[in-house]
């Protein structure tokens, strides 16, 4: 059977407590039990299959030497389909051995045809490096696997283009490096037999839409050289993987979804940090909030203990127990905070034990990433706080526990992260630590939404004109576009080409459409709002890391606190033109929180539902936003020290939104006073944004919102929720299509929250540009009751 075809991390220093015992000890450390639900995911017995007859003795022996006695049934099924020339996606659980499903046919072809080549695409460099180790470890003569990415030294690139037959890269390098240089890659592309797309469920939203067209550009270049490669895709369990894979590749794809691999049992706990009494808010890193009461008094809103603090304490406790633990944290800054806090706690208990814990995130330099991966592989680290950079990265065999700090946005990611532990058949513990957030609160009190619900379908929209037109421009640079090419790029391609001609980017001739400019178009696959911004220490000139352009206004504004490997820096200057932020080391006792203002106007309506006093709409909108100030807050108490102005440029966005309107009369009949309408709509907007990831493959940072008592375009009380990417990402359409279910879950999350006047678990938002004011929790429930009473199911 397949132990693991990837690099492994050895087990911990000794037998630790069982998952059930460990959970019992963790639950006992507080006065109140924070666990709302424990799910026992039973162990599963594997179903083996014989080796395919086309797998050579040499290939079988190589796998057997690596611990693979025979493939599992789903591996053999997918491998046979691919070897027979059928495009296939294998969508099974974490640690089910999806890699063997594509390695078998790819390597068998390379061994039998000395001219054939294989291209492997991964969403992260870490995953490509991991797969390189796995393929190289097989020791097959003539395969010559090699990574070709941004970290590859230029001296090695020419050798790889000429001699490697198994090239591992990522969509960004395919887009920026390989396809523009297709002439240099002609020999490789002419003989291309397989294209492997690993972890294809990660290609969603705008990123997924861009990657879909990069793959079409790849198919176009292969066809020009006479090649028609077979596409083999690997995905975590997802809804309708064949349709999603077909939309990604533009090809008919067969899905293999029955997981026949063995699996150790998992104890999965849902963990809700306790509410802090008002006089204890100083122990939380989350600031206490206040709201004005109807009688003019000010009521203190309770907050929960920070999920970051709770995760850090759990990580320290599990490491102290000798349990190999990986903590997933949603943000780069959060990963740094969790690692630093856990290190401090461990060093207080046993000096030096904190050295066994580290942070891992994107933005680190190559040398730092490789050193952390080496420490994992050799067991030098016992605990790691990571962003989702390791969700798809190094195969961490031997981990005993996974802590998930906040719902990762989709059930697919949740199970992917939980599956990092419990490899090789051993029992494992997974703990989801809820943030003070409407969706997290809803999930820990509705476990059926996690354990009883199907995994989401991947949402992407290749027809997005803001994606399609730039990709057609890139294709035209690589070779003039022809009418036959337009069918390859799908709906809207002819209209996009006509617009490019009108804009002077393309010139139409009898033989096709030609790119008119000397330079290539600048296209950001990730849709992150521009090139990364480099963070440089001003006193030494040392490059600390990078931050994506879309986040730079919030994370690197002058005065912002930037964390790197537990060290705190203050930003002195942000030069957006040069993509550089200068920082100096400082350990202030305050944190920074950027605030922005947003305006929205309706451009057009695609679809709407007239439900009497309620209207539900889907359409295009223009959003204008600007980061205008930031608050400094005491770390210990959450006290606001001051608010400082910022002078950053305005950002404009045309995107897709879903919105609903209500008549003032319906609100009055529901008991919402005129003065309370702004707070009611604002609270409903926050909660609706928080719950949308339950319906679509997004998180609240992918979407934005605006609410107003009278919007000039609708002339009515209105709540907007919009995609945070140019042209939309498919999330608003999903919200519109599931409006009743989405808003029902939103209403339930608010009503079931234990607070009296509203808190971060229901109606407060961590990204609110208005400081979460005004908000009215009871009136938000009344607003949603009116919508649900009138909106058809």
């Amino acid at each position: 059977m397949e132990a693991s075809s990837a690099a492994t991390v050895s087990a911990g220093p000794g037998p630790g407590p069982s998952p059930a015992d460990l959970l019992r000890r963790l639950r006992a450390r507080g006065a109140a039990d924070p666990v709302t639900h424990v799910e026992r995911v039973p162990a599963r017995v594997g179903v083996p299959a014989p080796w395919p007859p086309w797998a050579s003795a040499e290939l079988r022996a190589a796998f057997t030497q690596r611990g693979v006695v025979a493939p599992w049934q789903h591996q053999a099924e997918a491998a046979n389909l691919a070897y027979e020339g059928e495009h296939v996606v294998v969508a099974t659980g974490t640690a089910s051995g999806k890699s063997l499903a594509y390695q078998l046919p790819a390597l068998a072809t390379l061994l039998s045809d000395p001219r054939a080549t294989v291209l492997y695409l991964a969403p992260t460099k870490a995953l490509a490096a991991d797969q390189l180790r796995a393929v190289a470890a097989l020791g097959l003569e003539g395969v010559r696997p090699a990574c070709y990415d941004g970290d590859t030294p230029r001296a090695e690139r020419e050798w790889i283009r000429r001699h490697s037959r198994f090239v591992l890269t990522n969509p960004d390098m395919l887009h920026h490096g390989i396809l523009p240089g297709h002439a240099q890659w002609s020999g490789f592309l002419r003989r291309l037999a397989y294209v492997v797309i690993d972890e294809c469920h990660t290609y969603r939203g705008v990123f997924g839409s861009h990657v879909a067209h990069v793959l079409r550009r790849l198919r176009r270049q292969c066809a020009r050289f006479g090649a028609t490669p077979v596409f083999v895709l690997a995905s975590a369990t997802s809804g309708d993987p064949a349709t999603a894979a077909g939309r990604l590749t533009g090809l008919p794809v067969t899905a293999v979804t029955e997981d026949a691999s063995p699996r150790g049992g998992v104890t999965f706990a849902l963990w809700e940090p306790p509410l802090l009494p008002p006089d204890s808010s100083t122990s939380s890193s989350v600031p206490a909030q206040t709201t004005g009461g109807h009688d003019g008094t000010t009521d203190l809103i309770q907050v929960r203990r920070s999920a970051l603090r709770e995760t850090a304490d759990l990580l320290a406790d599990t490491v102290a127990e000798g349990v190999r633990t990986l903590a997933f944290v949603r943000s780069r800054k959060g990963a740094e905070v969790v690692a630093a806090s856990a290190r401090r706690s461990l060093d207080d208990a046993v000096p030096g034990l904190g050295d066994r814990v580290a942070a891992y995130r994107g933005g680190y330099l190559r040398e730092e990433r490789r050193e952390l991966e080496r420490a994992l592989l050799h067991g030098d680290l016992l605990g790691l706080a990571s962003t989702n950079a390791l969700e798809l990265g190094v195969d961490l065999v031997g981990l005993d526990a996974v802590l998930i700090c906040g719902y990762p946005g989709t059930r697919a990611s949740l199970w992917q992260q939980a599956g990092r532990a419990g490899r090789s058949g051993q029992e494992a513990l997974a703990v989801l630590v809820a943030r003070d957030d409407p969706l997290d609160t809803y999930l820990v009190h509705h476990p059926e939404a996690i354990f009883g619900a199907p995994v989401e379908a991947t949402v992407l929209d290749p027809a997005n004109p803001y994606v399609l037109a730039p990709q057609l421009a890139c294709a035209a640079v690589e070779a003039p576009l022809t009418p036959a090419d337009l069918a390859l790029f799908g709906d809207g391609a002819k209209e996009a080409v006509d617009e490019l001609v009108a804009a002077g980017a393309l010139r139409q001739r009898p033989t096709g459409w030609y790119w008119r400019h000397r330079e290539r178009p600048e296209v950001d696959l990730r849709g992150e709002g521009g090139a990364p911004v480099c963070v440089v220490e001003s006193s030494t000139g040392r490059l600390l890391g990078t931050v994506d352009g879309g986040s730079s206004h919030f994370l690197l504004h002058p005065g912002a606190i930037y964390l790197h490997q537990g060290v705190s820096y203050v930003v002195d200057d942000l030069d957006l033109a040069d993509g550089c932020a200068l920082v100096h080391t400082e350990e202030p006792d305050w944190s920074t929180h950027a605030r922005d203002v947003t305006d929205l106007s309706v451009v057009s309506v695609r679809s709407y539902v007239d439900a009497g006093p309620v209207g539900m709409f889907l359409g295009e909108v223009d959003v204008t936003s600007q980061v205008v100030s930031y608050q400094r807050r005491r770390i210990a108490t959450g006290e606001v020290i001051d608010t400082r102005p910022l002078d950053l440029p305005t950002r404009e966005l045309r995107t897709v939104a879903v919105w609903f309107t209500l008549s003032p009369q319906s609100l009055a009949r529901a008991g919402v006073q005129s003065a309370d309408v702004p707070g009611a709509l604002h609270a409903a907007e926050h909660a609706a944004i928080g719950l949308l990831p339950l319906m679509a493959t997004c998180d609240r940072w992918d979407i934005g919102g605006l609410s107003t008592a009278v919007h000039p375009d609708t002339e009515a009380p209105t709540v907007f929720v919009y995609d945070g990417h140019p042209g939309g990402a498919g999330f608003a359409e999903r919200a519109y299509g599931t409006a009743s279910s989405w808003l029902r879950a939103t209403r339930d999350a608010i009503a079931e929250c234990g607070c009296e006047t509203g808190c971060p678990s229901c109606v407060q938002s961590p990204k609110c540009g208005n400081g979460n004011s005004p908000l009215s929790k009871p009136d938000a429930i009344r607003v949603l009751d009116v919508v649900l009473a009138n909106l058809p199911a």
Side-chain angles (χ1 to χ4, degrees), residues 770-790:
N770 294 319
N772 286 299
S773 179
L775 293 175
S776 174
K777 173 182 175 175
D779 287 323
I781 297 172
R782 297 184 181 103
V783 164
L784 292 168
D785 281 340
V786 172
V787 174
L788 292 166
N790 291 279

Side-chain angles (χ1 to χ4, degrees), residues 167-227:
V167 173
L168 302 99
T169 187
N170 52 64
D172 306 87
M173 181 55 81
L174 179 60
H175 163 64
H176 289 292
I178 296 176
L179 290 175
H182 57 82
Q184 295 175 298
W185 287 87
S186 59
F188 182 89
L189 295 175
R190 185 174 288 111
R191 307 190 302 272
L192 189 60
Y194 289 96
V195 177
V196 176
I197 306 173
D198 209 352
E199 305 292 359
C200 66
H201 64 281
T202 62
Y203 301 124
R204 59 179 179 84
V206 169
F207 180 40
S209 303
H210 273 295
V211 172
H213 288 299
V214 171
L215 295 177
R216 285 158 175 77
R217 286 162 50 201
L218 172 63
R219 290 174 50 207
R220 177 173 177 254
Q221 289 301 324
C222 288
R224 291 180 68 236
F225 293 120

Side-chain angles (χ1 to χ4, degrees), residues 212-469:
H213 288 299
V214 171
L215 295 177
R216 285 158 175 77
R217 286 162 50 201
L218 172 63
R219 290 174 50 207
R220 177 173 177 254
Q221 289 301 324
C222 288
R224 291 180 68 236
F225 293 120
T228 54
V230 174
F231 282 74
V232 187
L233 302 94
S235 169
T237 305
S238 64
D240 199 2
T243 298
R247 193 178 297 124
L248 184 65
T249 60
L251 296 163
V253 180
T254 301
V256 174
T257 58
E258 203 64 41
D259 194 336
S261 65
R263 173 73 208 188
V266 179
T267 300
F268 205 133
L270 304 183
W271 187 290
E272 185 175 41
L275 275 172
L276 296 167
D279 60 355
S280 297
S281 62
T282 56
S283 64
S284 171
S285 62
V286 179
Q289 302 282 346
T290 59
T291 60
H294 291 292
D295 58 0
T297 62
T298 298
D299 302 317
L300 187 67
I301 294 178
Q302 285 182 279
V303 296
R304 294 195 178 277
R305 192 166 191 266
S306 162
L308 290 175
R309 185 70 59 83
E310 197 84 348
T311 303
D313 286 353
L314 289 171
L315 179 59
D317 288 345
T318 56
V319 168
E321 293 275 0
V323 173
R324 299 291 297 274
T325 307
L326 177 62
F328 281 107
V329 189
R330 289 169 57 86
S331 70
R332 294 178 173 189
K333 185 175 180 179
E336 299 276 9
V337 168
V338 167
S341 181
R343 281 196 295 262
R344 282 194 300 270
S345 297
L346 289 166
D347 282 335
D348 288 344
V350 181
L353 188 56
D355 293 340
R356 304 295 299 280
V357 175
Y360 186 105
R361 62 171 176 80
Y364 279 6
L365 302 181
R366 180 192 182 192
E367 294 75 16
E368 292 177 295
R369 293 198 309 269
R370 295 295 179 262
E371 175 58 27
L372 287 169
E373 290 165 12
R374 187 208 62 77
L376 278 173
L377 292 171
H378 291 81
D380 298 335
L381 291 175
L382 198 55
L384 197 68
S386 172
T387 61
N388 64 359
L390 279 181
E391 177 182 321
L392 310 173
V394 179
D395 211 351
L396 308 178
V397 178
L399 287 176
D400 307 301
V402 167
L403 307 174
I404 303 169
C405 182
Y407 183 62
T410 66
R411 286 180 287 273
S413 286
L414 181 74
W415 288 110
Q416 190 82 358
Q417 292 181 3
R420 293 296 103 181
R423 303 264 174 142
S424 304
Q426 76 262 32
E427 295 284 317
L429 173 67
V431 180
L432 171 62
V433 181
R435 292 170 301 148
D436 225 353
D437 173 272
L439 180 56
D440 287 40
T441 302
Y442 180 85
L443 290 173
V444 295
H445 291 284
H446 293 81
E448 70 281 359
I450 294 177
F451 301 108
V455 177
E456 308 89 346
T458 303
V459 176
L460 66 148
D461 179 18
N464 179 340
Y466 288 84
V467 172
L468 179 55

